[in-house]
Structures are given as structure tokens and as C-alpha cells.
């Protein structure tokens, strides 16, 4: 008699095989069935029953058929991180629970897609290979197509906005982006995002859609939702409230003086962008840890220099963008803003990015897309744009700490070893 545990479609079933039920003598039975091993794929027929303990069991009535043998020895357990990272296939077989974050990520993508389709958005696929002009502050991967310099996209933003100009009022794309940057717990050079663009949509409406989407997803995955209207913090007023000092001069020298007044150490290779981002991380984003753990938190009205593609306005003589970022436990999940739709203003902002890139030797400054400015002259209606990091959201819902746990073959370092 043999008991064999089968697994298919994430469901387990016990098979009981005996010579009597198959009408065989013991010698023939053992010859046909005594050499099955973990990892083999088999097929069997029989009758369903339950054991005395209530376990569902298939009593095999015919000889078990080998479909595909496992020719490598399957370990009983696998805990060595080096081996796991170098052989994800083996890890999924030995540690089937490690498949769960991958499954959750797939379901998160389905939820986001259905949310947008239910609101009459059109799903599109935009180019992954193109020339310069990125739509994000990031360093791209570069290659060649014949004599042309091309690069992998770092974001689909500008392509999607071109479609809005072309008359597609509601578009979205779920896909991978590529940034030639570092690897850590929450970053990988290849990652999955969703971006949508909707004409005639304000920042407040984008916030409302974000709340509706995340509350819906959290309920599906039974994630406790403390508030259905998430906490909101205005960038500069909150900075003043937390530090006791107002930041009224957003020039490079003005921000350096603010650091001096705070007694805060200036980060290496300072420029206005990374100085403001550092202030946000220390004093604003940290509120999503100290005051609102496990709760989405909006930070909005970032200084204009942080958002070269966003529409701007002046508040208390300071130019700020109509933008928000959403954080959970100190990590950014969503970035959204009212899109700059004045081609002259966009041209000026692109120029300022180029000046800053040269002045501060910052390779992560946005690479301008001058052709996009020309396309804008056809008319970009008032538009709200929105993007979410799907890997990071899947991490939060799965309860895992590293991005490689929601990537089927791990991060780029792991991929190169497989």
C-alpha cells in the first residue's frame, strides 16, 4: 500500500494505492509503483472517499501512470537564500507558499484593470523602445537600432498623454518600465506600474479615485482599512508645522540656508531637488510611519521644481505643483498630478531641467522630449495623470519585505544567475 500526495491548481489530494483495489499481485504492484518519487507528474483514476479523520482521498482503481519523471533530486526543505535566489523554480516546488506573493500580484493587476475598465478607460500598449525623452527623473538603459541611439522606457507617461491629445480621453497602461539604477529592498531596474490619464480631471478627483481603488482592493484582500478618506498633508505648511520653521525661499541657496537653520546635515552632491526630497523624507513621509502606520497618506502641493510635468500655481508667492504622492509606512505608492497643458510653460520647465542637470551634474534630471512640446501645440485638454507601483502594492498586501519576493524570478541580480 502506498499513500501519495498530489497537488494541482493549488489544491492537494491524497491518493491511496493498493494491489487489491487494482487487482494485482503484490510483486507486480510493487514493480509498477515502488519507484515513484517527489516531483514526478502522474495520472491516476479511482473513487473518491474520506479517511476516518475526514481527509479527502482518491482510492486508485487502476495502475498509476507516470507522465513526466523528475530527474533531479528534490530536497525535503530549502532555506538557503543563495540557492533560492539562484533557482526560483526549485524554490516554488519545495516551498509552495513562496508562490503566494506572485499570485497576489496577478490578482492586484486584475483588480486595477477591472476598476479602470468599469469606468470606461481604454487599455493601450505604448512603445517600450524609443529615442530620448523619458517622462520621469531616471537613468535609462541605452542601446542601438542600426545607427540610431534608442533606450528602454523609464515610464509610459508622455506616450499616454500624446494619446489624450489625439482624442483618447481615458487611457491606461499596465506594463514594465526600466531604470538603470540600483537594487534594494523596494527597487529593481525592471518593475511593473499602472498609469492612467483622464481628461477634465482635477487633483481632488484623482485623490478620490485613489481612495476608491485602494479601499476596494484592501477589502478584496481583507486588509484592515482604518479610514476610507486618507490623511492629507500640504507640503510646505506641514513642513513648517513639523519643524517650526517656514521654507519661503526655494532657490538653491535658500534651501541650504533652511538646512542650516534646522541644523540638518546636507546630503552629498546637493541640488534643489534632492534637498527638497530629503526634507520630505525626514519630516513629511515619516508621518505615514509615526502617525498613520499601515494607512495610505497623501502629501500634496509639492514645490514646482520637483514636478516638471505637472501644472503649477502660486501659493503665498511660492510656485507649487498640483500634485500628490501617496505613502504607506514611509514608501511611495502613487504619484499623480494635473498635467501641464501649456506648451510654452512645458518648454520652459524642460529648459530649467537642462540647466539644473548641467549646473548640478545630476544624471537623474528629466530628459526633455521636445517633440512632445510640439505635439502639445495641437491642444492637451486639462488632464489628470496617475501612476502606481504594482510591485510595491503587491508587497504590502502579501506582507513581504523585499521586491524580489513578488517578482517570479527575483531581482535583476537573481535573474542573471538563472
Amino acid at each position: 500500500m502506498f499513500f501519495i500526495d498530489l497537488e494541482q491548481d493549488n489544491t492537494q489530494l491524497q491518493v491511496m494505492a493498493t494491489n487489491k483495489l487494482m487487482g494485482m499481485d503484490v510483486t507486480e504492484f510493487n514493480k509498477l509503483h515502488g519507484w515513484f518519487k517527489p516531483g514526478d507528474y502522474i495520472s491516476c483514476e479511482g473513487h473518491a472517499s474520506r479517511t476516518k479523520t475526514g481527509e479527502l482521498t482518491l482510492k486508485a482503481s487502476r495502475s498509476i501512470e507516470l507522465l513526466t519523471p523528475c530527474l533531479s533530486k528534490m530536497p525535503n526543505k530549502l532555506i538557503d537564500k543563495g540557492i533560492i535566489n539562484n533557482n526560483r523554480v526549485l524554490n516554488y516546488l519545495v516551498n509552495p507558499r513562496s508562490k503566494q506573493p506572485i499570485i497576489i500580484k496577478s490578482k492586484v493587476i486584475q483588480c486595477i484593470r477591472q476598476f479602470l475598465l468599469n469606468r470606461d478607460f481604454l487599455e493601450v500598449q505604448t512603445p517600450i523602445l524609443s529615442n530620448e525623452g523619458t517622462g520621469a527623473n531616471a537613468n535609462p538603459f541605452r542601446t542601438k537600432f542600426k545607427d540610431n541611439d534608442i533606450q528602454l522606457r523609464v515610464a509610459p507617461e508622455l506616450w499616454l498623454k500624446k494619446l489624450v491629445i489625439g482624442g483618447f480621453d481615458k487611457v491606461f497602461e499596465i506594463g514594465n518600465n526600466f531604470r538603470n539604477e540600483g537594487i534594494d529592498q523596494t527597487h529593481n531596474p525592471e518593475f511593473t506600474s499602472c498609469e492612467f490619464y483622464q481628461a477634465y480631471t482635477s487633483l481632488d478627483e484623482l485623490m478620490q479615485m485613489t481612495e476608491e481603488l485602494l479601499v476596494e482592493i484592501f477589502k478584496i484582500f481583507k486588509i484592515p482599512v482604518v479610514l476610507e478618506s486618507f490623511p492629507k498633508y500640504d507640503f510646505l505648511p506641514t513642513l513648517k508645522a513639523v519643524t517650526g520653521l517656514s521654507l519661503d525661499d526655494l532657490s538653491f541657496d535658500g534651501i541650504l540656508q533652511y538646512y542650516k537653520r534646522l541644523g540638518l546635515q546636507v546630503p552629498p552632491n546637493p541640488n534643489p531637488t534632492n534637498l527638497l526630497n530629503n526634507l520630505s523624507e525626514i519630516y513629511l513621509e515619516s508621518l505615514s510611519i509615526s502617525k498613520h502606520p499601515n494607512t495610505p497618506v497623501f502629501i500634496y502641493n509639492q514645490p514646482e521644481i520637483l514636478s516638471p510635468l505637472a501644472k503649477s500655481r502660486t501659493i503665498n508667492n511660492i510656485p507649487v505643483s498640483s500634485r500628490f504622492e501617496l505613502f504607506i509606512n514611509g514608501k511611495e505608492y502613487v504619484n499623480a498630478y494635473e498635467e501641464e497643458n501649456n506648451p510654452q510653460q512645458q518648454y520652459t520647465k524642460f529648459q530649467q531641467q537642462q540647466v539644473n542637470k548641467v549646473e548640478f551634474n545630476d544624471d537623474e534630471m528629466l530628459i526633455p522630449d521636445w517633440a512632445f512640446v510640439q505635439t502639445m501645440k495641437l491642444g492637451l485638454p486639462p488632464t489628470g495623470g496617475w501612476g502606481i507601483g504594482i510591485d510595491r502594492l503587491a508587497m504590502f498586501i502579501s506582507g513581504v519585505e523585499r521586491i524580489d519576493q513578488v517578482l517570479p524570478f527575483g531581482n535583476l541580480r537573481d535573474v542573471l544567475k538563472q
Side-chain angles (χ1 to χ4, degrees), residues 353-395:
Q353 289 282 300
Q354 291 296 85
V355 170
N356 291 344
K357 182 181 179 70
V358 173
E359 183 176 353
F360 300 108
N361 193 30
D362 185 357
D363 290 335
E364 292 192 3
M365 282 291 178
L366 183 71
I367 299 174
D369 186 337
W370 305 112
F372 173 67
V373 175
Q374 293 301 313
T375 305
M376 287 180 69
K377 293 179 180 180
L378 293 171
L380 173 63
T383 298
W386 181 95
I388 190 167
I390 289 176
D391 302 303
R392 203 166 283 185
L393 182 58
M395 288 170 59

mmCIF file of all heavy atoms in Angstrom, residues 353-395:
data_model
loop_
_atom_site.group_PDB
_atom_site.id
_atom_site.type_symbol
_atom_site.label_atom_id
_atom_site.label_comp_id
_atom_site.label_asym_id
_atom_site.label_seq_id
_atom_site.Cartn_x
_atom_site.Cartn_y
_atom_site.Cartn_z
ATOM 1 N N GLN A 353 15.103 72.133 -16.399
ATOM 2 C CA GLN A 353 15.660 70.820 -16.054
ATOM 3 C C GLN A 353 17.051 70.644 -16.668
ATOM 4 O O GLN A 353 17.967 70.122 -16.020
ATOM 5 C CB GLN A 353 14.734 69.707 -16.561
ATOM 6 C CG GLN A 353 13.425 69.593 -15.804
ATOM 7 C CD GLN A 353 13.582 68.899 -14.465
ATOM 8 O OE1 GLN A 353 14.001 67.760 -14.391
ATOM 9 N NE2 GLN A 353 13.255 69.606 -13.396
ATOM 10 N N GLN A 354 17.224 71.102 -17.889
ATOM 11 C CA GLN A 354 18.519 71.000 -18.548
ATOM 12 C C GLN A 354 19.561 71.882 -17.857
ATOM 13 O O GLN A 354 20.721 71.479 -17.692
ATOM 14 C CB GLN A 354 18.395 71.402 -20.024
ATOM 15 C CG GLN A 354 17.610 70.411 -20.865
ATOM 16 C CD GLN A 354 18.283 69.053 -20.945
ATOM 17 O OE1 GLN A 354 18.105 68.213 -20.066
ATOM 18 N NE2 GLN A 354 19.071 68.837 -21.978
ATOM 19 N N VAL A 355 19.151 73.088 -17.457
ATOM 20 C CA VAL A 355 20.064 73.968 -16.732
ATOM 21 C C VAL A 355 20.512 73.318 -15.424
ATOM 22 O O VAL A 355 21.700 73.317 -15.078
ATOM 23 C CB VAL A 355 19.392 75.336 -16.460
ATOM 24 C CG1 VAL A 355 20.230 76.170 -15.494
ATOM 25 C CG2 VAL A 355 19.180 76.095 -17.768
ATOM 26 N N ASN A 356 19.554 72.749 -14.694
ATOM 27 C CA ASN A 356 19.882 72.098 -13.418
ATOM 28 C C ASN A 356 20.771 70.875 -13.623
ATOM 29 O O ASN A 356 21.649 70.590 -12.805
ATOM 30 C CB ASN A 356 18.602 71.687 -12.694
ATOM 31 C CG ASN A 356 17.810 72.884 -12.197
ATOM 32 O OD1 ASN A 356 18.337 73.989 -12.128
ATOM 33 N ND2 ASN A 356 16.550 72.668 -11.863
ATOM 34 N N LYS A 357 20.525 70.155 -14.708
ATOM 35 C CA LYS A 357 21.326 68.965 -14.996
ATOM 36 C C LYS A 357 22.791 69.336 -15.171
ATOM 37 O O LYS A 357 23.693 68.667 -14.644
ATOM 38 C CB LYS A 357 20.808 68.277 -16.261
ATOM 39 C CG LYS A 357 21.535 66.995 -16.653
ATOM 40 C CD LYS A 357 20.946 66.431 -17.928
ATOM 41 C CE LYS A 357 21.658 65.163 -18.362
ATOM 42 N NZ LYS A 357 21.371 64.043 -17.466
ATOM 43 N N VAL A 358 23.053 70.436 -15.899
ATOM 44 C CA VAL A 358 24.425 70.891 -16.131
ATOM 45 C C VAL A 358 25.008 71.500 -14.863
ATOM 46 O O VAL A 358 26.137 71.189 -14.455
ATOM 47 C CB VAL A 358 24.458 71.913 -17.294
ATOM 48 C CG1 VAL A 358 25.859 72.511 -17.423
ATOM 49 C CG2 VAL A 358 24.031 71.247 -18.594
ATOM 50 N N GLU A 359 24.250 72.369 -14.202
ATOM 51 C CA GLU A 359 24.754 73.090 -13.032
ATOM 52 C C GLU A 359 25.090 72.160 -11.877
ATOM 53 O O GLU A 359 26.091 72.332 -11.188
ATOM 54 C CB GLU A 359 23.732 74.129 -12.580
ATOM 55 C CG GLU A 359 24.206 74.975 -11.401
ATOM 56 C CD GLU A 359 23.216 76.061 -11.033
ATOM 57 O OE1 GLU A 359 22.224 76.253 -11.781
ATOM 58 O OE2 GLU A 359 23.437 76.737 -10.002
ATOM 59 N N PHE A 360 24.248 71.130 -11.680
ATOM 60 C CA PHE A 360 24.433 70.259 -10.522
ATOM 61 C C PHE A 360 24.906 68.857 -10.897
ATOM 62 O O PHE A 360 24.982 67.976 -10.041
ATOM 63 C CB PHE A 360 23.121 70.161 -9.737
ATOM 64 C CG PHE A 360 22.626 71.487 -9.232
ATOM 65 C CD1 PHE A 360 21.517 72.100 -9.810
ATOM 66 C CD2 PHE A 360 23.277 72.132 -8.194
ATOM 67 C CE1 PHE A 360 21.064 73.325 -9.351
ATOM 68 C CE2 PHE A 360 22.822 73.357 -7.728
ATOM 69 C CZ PHE A 360 21.722 73.966 -8.306
ATOM 70 N N ASN A 361 25.204 68.653 -12.191
ATOM 71 C CA ASN A 361 25.712 67.360 -12.665
ATOM 72 C C ASN A 361 24.802 66.227 -12.203
ATOM 73 O O ASN A 361 25.254 65.206 -11.682
ATOM 74 C CB ASN A 361 27.149 67.139 -12.157
ATOM 75 C CG ASN A 361 27.826 65.983 -12.868
ATOM 76 O OD1 ASN A 361 27.528 65.690 -14.034
ATOM 77 N ND2 ASN A 361 28.738 65.304 -12.180
ATOM 78 N N ASP A 362 23.507 66.420 -12.406
ATOM 79 C CA ASP A 362 22.509 65.458 -11.939
ATOM 80 C C ASP A 362 22.007 64.631 -13.119
ATOM 81 O O ASP A 362 21.228 65.106 -13.949
ATOM 82 C CB ASP A 362 21.348 66.192 -11.271
ATOM 83 C CG ASP A 362 20.334 65.239 -10.652
ATOM 84 O OD1 ASP A 362 20.513 64.014 -10.795
ATOM 85 O OD2 ASP A 362 19.366 65.718 -10.031
ATOM 86 N N ASP A 363 22.435 63.371 -13.200
ATOM 87 C CA ASP A 363 22.046 62.498 -14.307
ATOM 88 C C ASP A 363 20.585 62.060 -14.235
ATOM 89 O O ASP A 363 20.061 61.494 -15.194
ATOM 90 C CB ASP A 363 22.943 61.257 -14.343
ATOM 91 C CG ASP A 363 24.368 61.578 -14.764
ATOM 92 O OD1 ASP A 363 24.552 62.593 -15.466
ATOM 93 O OD2 ASP A 363 25.286 60.824 -14.382
ATOM 94 N N GLU A 364 19.927 62.274 -13.085
ATOM 95 C CA GLU A 364 18.547 61.828 -12.944
ATOM 96 C C GLU A 364 17.534 62.916 -13.294
ATOM 97 O O GLU A 364 16.332 62.704 -13.166
ATOM 98 C CB GLU A 364 18.297 61.320 -11.517
ATOM 99 C CG GLU A 364 19.051 60.028 -11.219
ATOM 100 C CD GLU A 364 18.581 59.370 -9.930
ATOM 101 O OE1 GLU A 364 17.640 59.892 -9.299
ATOM 102 O OE2 GLU A 364 19.146 58.341 -9.559
ATOM 103 N N MET A 365 18.015 64.090 -13.704
ATOM 104 C CA MET A 365 17.080 65.117 -14.154
ATOM 105 C C MET A 365 16.316 64.613 -15.380
ATOM 106 O O MET A 365 16.861 63.871 -16.205
ATOM 107 C CB MET A 365 17.825 66.408 -14.498
ATOM 108 C CG MET A 365 18.235 67.227 -13.280
ATOM 109 S SD MET A 365 16.801 67.944 -12.468
ATOM 110 C CE MET A 365 17.603 68.768 -11.074
ATOM 111 N N LEU A 366 15.079 65.032 -15.490
ATOM 112 C CA LEU A 366 14.224 64.615 -16.593
ATOM 113 C C LEU A 366 14.855 64.949 -17.936
ATOM 114 O O LEU A 366 15.306 66.069 -18.158
ATOM 115 C CB LEU A 366 12.871 65.319 -16.473
ATOM 116 C CG LEU A 366 11.802 64.948 -17.501
ATOM 117 C CD1 LEU A 366 11.296 63.555 -17.229
ATOM 118 C CD2 LEU A 366 10.648 65.949 -17.432
ATOM 119 N N ILE A 367 14.910 63.954 -18.842
ATOM 120 C CA ILE A 367 15.388 64.189 -20.199
ATOM 121 C C ILE A 367 14.225 64.747 -21.017
ATOM 122 O O ILE A 367 13.196 64.083 -21.173
ATOM 123 C CB ILE A 367 15.907 62.892 -20.839
ATOM 124 C CG1 ILE A 367 17.086 62.347 -20.031
ATOM 125 C CG2 ILE A 367 16.313 63.128 -22.288
ATOM 126 C CD1 ILE A 367 17.579 61.000 -20.504
ATOM 127 N N PRO A 368 14.321 65.978 -21.518
ATOM 128 C CA PRO A 368 13.184 66.598 -22.208
ATOM 129 C C PRO A 368 12.809 65.858 -23.487
ATOM 130 O O PRO A 368 13.655 65.288 -24.178
ATOM 131 C CB PRO A 368 13.690 68.005 -22.521
ATOM 132 C CG PRO A 368 14.822 68.245 -21.589
ATOM 133 C CD PRO A 368 15.464 66.910 -21.392
ATOM 134 N N ASP A 369 11.528 65.885 -23.790
ATOM 135 C CA ASP A 369 11.013 65.380 -25.060
ATOM 136 C C ASP A 369 10.471 66.584 -25.827
ATOM 137 O O ASP A 369 9.329 67.001 -25.649
ATOM 138 C CB ASP A 369 9.904 64.357 -24.798
ATOM 139 C CG ASP A 369 9.416 63.693 -26.080
ATOM 140 O OD1 ASP A 369 9.597 64.293 -27.156
ATOM 141 O OD2 ASP A 369 8.857 62.590 -26.014
ATOM 142 N N TRP A 370 11.339 67.154 -26.672
ATOM 143 C CA TRP A 370 10.950 68.372 -27.388
ATOM 144 C C TRP A 370 9.846 68.091 -28.389
ATOM 145 O O TRP A 370 9.009 68.974 -28.672
ATOM 146 C CB TRP A 370 12.170 68.978 -28.073
ATOM 147 C CG TRP A 370 13.305 69.250 -27.123
ATOM 148 C CD1 TRP A 370 14.512 68.636 -27.076
ATOM 149 C CD2 TRP A 370 13.323 70.205 -26.053
ATOM 150 N NE1 TRP A 370 15.293 69.132 -26.059
ATOM 151 C CE2 TRP A 370 14.581 70.114 -25.404
ATOM 152 C CE3 TRP A 370 12.401 71.145 -25.568
ATOM 153 C CZ2 TRP A 370 14.937 70.902 -24.322
ATOM 154 C CZ3 TRP A 370 12.753 71.929 -24.482
ATOM 155 C CH2 TRP A 370 14.006 71.810 -23.870
ATOM 156 N N ALA A 371 9.803 66.868 -28.923
ATOM 157 C CA ALA A 371 8.721 66.522 -29.851
ATOM 158 C C ALA A 371 7.374 66.533 -29.129
ATOM 159 O O ALA A 371 6.337 66.880 -29.725
ATOM 160 C CB ALA A 371 8.978 65.142 -30.469
ATOM 161 N N PHE A 372 7.385 66.176 -27.849
ATOM 162 C CA PHE A 372 6.146 66.209 -27.079
ATOM 163 C C PHE A 372 5.616 67.642 -26.961
ATOM 164 O O PHE A 372 4.403 67.879 -27.043
ATOM 165 C CB PHE A 372 6.371 65.612 -25.694
ATOM 166 C CG PHE A 372 5.196 65.754 -24.753
ATOM 167 C CD1 PHE A 372 4.013 65.073 -25.004
ATOM 168 C CD2 PHE A 372 5.275 66.568 -23.637
ATOM 169 C CE1 PHE A 372 2.921 65.212 -24.152
ATOM 170 C CE2 PHE A 372 4.196 66.715 -22.779
ATOM 171 C CZ PHE A 372 3.020 66.031 -23.036
ATOM 172 N N VAL A 373 6.537 68.602 -26.788
ATOM 173 C CA VAL A 373 6.114 70.005 -26.704
ATOM 174 C C VAL A 373 5.430 70.420 -28.000
ATOM 175 O O VAL A 373 4.407 71.131 -27.983
ATOM 176 C CB VAL A 373 7.316 70.920 -26.402
ATOM 177 C CG1 VAL A 373 6.895 72.385 -26.425
ATOM 178 C CG2 VAL A 373 7.936 70.559 -25.051
ATOM 179 N N GLN A 374 5.971 69.982 -29.126
ATOM 180 C CA GLN A 374 5.338 70.307 -30.404
ATOM 181 C C GLN A 374 3.954 69.667 -30.507
ATOM 182 O O GLN A 374 3.000 70.283 -30.987
ATOM 183 C CB GLN A 374 6.228 69.832 -31.566
ATOM 184 C CG GLN A 374 7.541 70.590 -31.694
ATOM 185 C CD GLN A 374 7.324 72.088 -31.913
ATOM 186 O OE1 GLN A 374 6.506 72.496 -32.739
ATOM 187 N NE2 GLN A 374 8.047 72.901 -31.156
ATOM 188 N N THR A 375 3.854 68.415 -30.041
ATOM 189 C CA THR A 375 2.554 67.736 -30.070
ATOM 190 C C THR A 375 1.550 68.464 -29.194
ATOM 191 O O THR A 375 0.354 68.543 -29.528
ATOM 192 C CB THR A 375 2.715 66.280 -29.600
ATOM 193 O OG1 THR A 375 3.709 65.622 -30.387
ATOM 194 C CG2 THR A 375 1.399 65.520 -29.731
ATOM 195 N N MET A 376 2.015 69.031 -28.063
ATOM 196 C CA MET A 376 1.126 69.763 -27.156
ATOM 197 C C MET A 376 0.457 70.942 -27.840
ATOM 198 O O MET A 376 -0.630 71.366 -27.432
ATOM 199 C CB MET A 376 1.909 70.256 -25.931
ATOM 200 C CG MET A 376 2.295 69.181 -24.931
ATOM 201 S SD MET A 376 3.200 69.883 -23.527
ATOM 202 C CE MET A 376 1.908 70.834 -22.709
ATOM 203 N N LYS A 377 1.078 71.474 -28.879
ATOM 204 C CA LYS A 377 0.506 72.633 -29.571
ATOM 205 C C LYS A 377 -0.794 72.283 -30.292
ATOM 206 O O LYS A 377 -1.544 73.177 -30.693
ATOM 207 C CB LYS A 377 1.533 73.216 -30.545
ATOM 208 C CG LYS A 377 2.734 73.836 -29.832
ATOM 209 C CD LYS A 377 3.755 74.392 -30.808
ATOM 210 C CE LYS A 377 4.944 75.012 -30.063
ATOM 211 N NZ LYS A 377 5.968 75.562 -30.982
ATOM 212 N N LEU A 378 -1.047 70.977 -30.462
ATOM 213 C CA LEU A 378 -2.329 70.554 -31.017
ATOM 214 C C LEU A 378 -3.443 70.673 -29.989
ATOM 215 O O LEU A 378 -4.625 70.633 -30.345
ATOM 216 C CB LEU A 378 -2.237 69.096 -31.508
ATOM 217 C CG LEU A 378 -1.318 68.861 -32.704
ATOM 218 C CD1 LEU A 378 -1.143 67.367 -32.950
ATOM 219 C CD2 LEU A 378 -1.879 69.547 -33.949
ATOM 220 N N GLY A 379 -3.055 70.804 -28.710
ATOM 221 C CA GLY A 379 -4.051 71.015 -27.659
ATOM 222 C C GLY A 379 -4.200 69.826 -26.731
ATOM 223 O O GLY A 379 -4.759 68.801 -27.127
ATOM 224 N N LEU A 380 -3.669 69.941 -25.510
ATOM 225 C CA LEU A 380 -3.883 68.932 -24.469
ATOM 226 C C LEU A 380 -4.957 69.462 -23.534
ATOM 227 O O LEU A 380 -4.770 70.477 -22.871
ATOM 228 C CB LEU A 380 -2.589 68.670 -23.696
ATOM 229 C CG LEU A 380 -2.688 67.760 -22.454
ATOM 230 C CD1 LEU A 380 -3.127 66.356 -22.852
ATOM 231 C CD2 LEU A 380 -1.353 67.705 -21.703
ATOM 232 N N PRO A 381 -6.119 68.808 -23.468
ATOM 233 C CA PRO A 381 -7.164 69.298 -22.560
ATOM 234 C C PRO A 381 -6.702 69.192 -21.112
ATOM 235 O O PRO A 381 -5.737 68.471 -20.814
ATOM 236 C CB PRO A 381 -8.342 68.349 -22.839
ATOM 237 C CG PRO A 381 -7.715 67.103 -23.361
ATOM 238 C CD PRO A 381 -6.508 67.547 -24.141
ATOM 239 N N PRO A 382 -7.344 69.928 -20.196
ATOM 240 C CA PRO A 382 -7.000 69.737 -18.778
ATOM 241 C C PRO A 382 -7.093 68.253 -18.439
ATOM 242 O O PRO A 382 -8.122 67.614 -18.669
ATOM 243 C CB PRO A 382 -8.075 70.554 -18.053
ATOM 244 C CG PRO A 382 -8.519 71.578 -19.047
ATOM 245 C CD PRO A 382 -8.424 70.898 -20.388
ATOM 246 N N THR A 383 -6.000 67.707 -17.915
ATOM 247 C CA THR A 383 -5.887 66.250 -17.760
ATOM 248 C C THR A 383 -5.284 65.898 -16.419
ATOM 249 O O THR A 383 -4.353 66.544 -15.946
ATOM 250 C CB THR A 383 -5.012 65.665 -18.896
ATOM 251 O OG1 THR A 383 -5.634 65.921 -20.161
ATOM 252 C CG2 THR A 383 -4.831 64.164 -18.741
ATOM 253 N N GLY A 384 -5.821 64.848 -15.806
ATOM 254 C CA GLY A 384 -5.237 64.287 -14.590
ATOM 255 C C GLY A 384 -4.466 63.027 -14.924
ATOM 256 O O GLY A 384 -4.956 62.161 -15.660
ATOM 257 N N GLY A 385 -3.228 62.936 -14.427
ATOM 258 C CA GLY A 385 -2.400 61.761 -14.659
ATOM 259 C C GLY A 385 -2.073 61.076 -13.344
ATOM 260 O O GLY A 385 -1.899 61.736 -12.308
ATOM 261 N N TRP A 386 -1.924 59.746 -13.377
ATOM 262 C CA TRP A 386 -1.821 58.954 -12.149
ATOM 263 C C TRP A 386 -0.971 57.717 -12.417
ATOM 264 O O TRP A 386 -1.087 57.092 -13.467
ATOM 265 C CB TRP A 386 -3.234 58.554 -11.735
ATOM 266 C CG TRP A 386 -3.430 57.761 -10.491
ATOM 267 C CD1 TRP A 386 -3.726 58.232 -9.249
ATOM 268 C CD2 TRP A 386 -3.423 56.326 -10.365
ATOM 269 N NE1 TRP A 386 -3.899 57.190 -8.358
ATOM 270 C CE2 TRP A 386 -3.714 56.009 -9.024
ATOM 271 C CE3 TRP A 386 -3.179 55.283 -11.260
ATOM 272 C CZ2 TRP A 386 -3.776 54.697 -8.558
ATOM 273 C CZ3 TRP A 386 -3.239 53.979 -10.796
ATOM 274 C CH2 TRP A 386 -3.531 53.698 -9.462
ATOM 275 N N GLY A 387 -0.096 57.365 -11.461
ATOM 276 C CA GLY A 387 0.708 56.157 -11.605
ATOM 277 C C GLY A 387 0.889 55.463 -10.270
ATOM 278 O O GLY A 387 1.025 56.112 -9.226
ATOM 279 N N ILE A 388 0.903 54.130 -10.291
ATOM 280 C CA ILE A 388 1.087 53.334 -9.081
ATOM 281 C C ILE A 388 2.129 52.251 -9.330
ATOM 282 O O ILE A 388 2.200 51.681 -10.434
ATOM 283 C CB ILE A 388 -0.243 52.694 -8.618
ATOM 284 C CG1 ILE A 388 -0.089 52.077 -7.218
ATOM 285 C CG2 ILE A 388 -0.733 51.647 -9.610
ATOM 286 C CD1 ILE A 388 -1.419 51.702 -6.573
ATOM 287 N N GLY A 389 2.963 51.988 -8.322
ATOM 288 C CA GLY A 389 3.916 50.891 -8.388
ATOM 289 C C GLY A 389 3.247 49.593 -7.967
ATOM 290 O O GLY A 389 2.926 49.396 -6.787
ATOM 291 N N ILE A 390 2.998 48.720 -8.925
ATOM 292 C CA ILE A 390 2.239 47.497 -8.646
ATOM 293 C C ILE A 390 3.043 46.524 -7.789
ATOM 294 O O ILE A 390 2.491 45.858 -6.891
ATOM 295 C CB ILE A 390 1.785 46.854 -9.968
ATOM 296 C CG1 ILE A 390 0.687 47.712 -10.597
ATOM 297 C CG2 ILE A 390 1.288 45.423 -9.750
ATOM 298 C CD1 ILE A 390 0.212 47.242 -11.952
ATOM 299 N N ASP A 391 4.344 46.424 -8.029
ATOM 300 C CA ASP A 391 5.164 45.516 -7.220
ATOM 301 C C ASP A 391 5.085 45.901 -5.747
ATOM 302 O O ASP A 391 4.930 45.039 -4.869
ATOM 303 C CB ASP A 391 6.618 45.551 -7.691
ATOM 304 C CG ASP A 391 6.769 45.179 -9.145
ATOM 305 O OD1 ASP A 391 6.331 44.081 -9.513
ATOM 306 O OD2 ASP A 391 7.309 45.986 -9.910
ATOM 307 N N ARG A 392 5.198 47.183 -5.481
ATOM 308 C CA ARG A 392 5.196 47.656 -4.097
ATOM 309 C C ARG A 392 3.837 47.408 -3.435
ATOM 310 O O ARG A 392 3.759 47.028 -2.264
ATOM 311 C CB ARG A 392 5.557 49.137 -4.068
ATOM 312 C CG ARG A 392 6.115 49.600 -2.738
ATOM 313 C CD ARG A 392 6.752 50.960 -2.867
ATOM 314 N NE ARG A 392 8.060 50.911 -3.484
ATOM 315 C CZ ARG A 392 8.850 51.969 -3.626
ATOM 316 N NH1 ARG A 392 8.431 53.152 -3.208
ATOM 317 N NH2 ARG A 392 10.031 51.852 -4.197
ATOM 318 N N LEU A 393 2.746 47.636 -4.183
ATOM 319 C CA LEU A 393 1.423 47.363 -3.636
ATOM 320 C C LEU A 393 1.247 45.874 -3.347
ATOM 321 O O LEU A 393 0.682 45.488 -2.313
ATOM 322 C CB LEU A 393 0.345 47.848 -4.601
ATOM 323 C CG LEU A 393 -1.113 47.667 -4.148
ATOM 324 C CD1 LEU A 393 -1.365 48.382 -2.821
ATOM 325 C CD2 LEU A 393 -2.079 48.168 -5.219
ATOM 326 N N ALA A 394 1.743 45.019 -4.248
ATOM 327 C CA ALA A 394 1.670 43.575 -4.019
ATOM 328 C C ALA A 394 2.484 43.174 -2.796
ATOM 329 O O ALA A 394 2.089 42.268 -2.049
ATOM 330 C CB ALA A 394 2.161 42.822 -5.264
ATOM 331 N N MET A 395 3.617 43.840 -2.566
ATOM 332 C CA MET A 395 4.416 43.570 -1.369
ATOM 333 C C MET A 395 3.609 43.870 -0.110
ATOM 334 O O MET A 395 3.589 43.082 0.842
ATOM 335 C CB MET A 395 5.688 44.426 -1.379
ATOM 336 C CG MET A 395 6.730 44.025 -2.387
ATOM 337 S SD MET A 395 8.047 45.270 -2.510
ATOM 338 C CE MET A 395 8.676 45.309 -0.824
#
